[in-house]
């Protein structure tokens, strides 16, 4: 018997953590899986994810990576840095409640600041990735 995928439960846990934080909510207009056309900057999207088995003798585990994207129109990267820093505080080495799974660890892997090259070139984008390890309960 194999364990169910962790992708959905991990995304739900990350979404709950981010949307439940008043300090982050004061910095952004929302956290989205699907971005509405009329969205107002600054916001965060939950993006791409990967999952690999991390099994042990007698049990099933998963390593799930999830990429978050910070979007801002602030001139310069400092506002994006503040949002990114808050997300790292909320997730890195912090326990998560993940439906149907035991949370082992969450680790921040990277962030990269980017400037949208398309005119008018005023969008700042920071992709960031976290690795979340889980085990079957």
């Amino acid at each position: 018997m194999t364990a169910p995928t962790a992708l959905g439960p991990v995304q739900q846990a990350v979404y709950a953590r981010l949307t439940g934080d008043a300090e982050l909510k004061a910095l952004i207009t929302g956290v989205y899986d699907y971005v509405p056309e009329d969205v107002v900057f600054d916001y965060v999207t939950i993006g791409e994810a990967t999952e690999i088995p991390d099994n042990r003798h007698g049990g099933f585990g998963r390593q799930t990576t999830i990429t978050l994207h910070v979007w801002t129109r602030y001139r310069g990267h400092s506002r994006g840095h503040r949002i990114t820093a808050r997300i790292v505080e909320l997730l890195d080495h912090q326990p998560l409640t993940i439906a149907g799974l035991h949370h082992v660890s969450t680790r921040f892997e990277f962030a990269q600041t980017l400037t949208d090259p398309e005119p008018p070139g005023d969008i700042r984008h920071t992709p960031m990735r976290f690795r979340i390890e889980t085990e079957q309960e």
Side-chain angles (χ1 to χ4, degrees), residues 44-94:
V44 174
T45 57
I46 297 176
E48 305 73 19
T50 65
E51 179 180 279
I52 59 172
D54 191 16
N55 300 327
R56 58 180 163 58
H57 183 69
F60 294 100
R62 298 285 187 260
Q63 287 193 29
T64 305
T65 63
I66 190 162
T67 304
L68 305 176
H69 300 269
V70 175
W71 300 92
T72 181
R73 280 204 161 136
Y74 189 80
R75 292 179 183 246
H77 289 286
S78 63
R79 181 139 174 103
H81 291 169
R82 282 196 305 274
I83 296 166
T84 300
R86 183 61 189 152
I87 293 171
V88 170
E89 289 174 18
L90 290 170
L91 295 176
D92 189 35
H93 289 82
Q94 299 300 314

Side-chain angles (χ1 to χ4, degrees), residues 31-59:
V31 177
Y32 302 97
D33 179 23
Y34 172 80
V35 182
E37 287 186 31
D38 60 346
V39 70
V40 176
F41 285 84
D42 304 329
Y43 61 90
V44 174
T45 57
I46 297 176
E48 305 73 19
T50 65
E51 179 180 279
I52 59 172
D54 191 16
N55 300 327
R56 58 180 163 58
H57 183 69

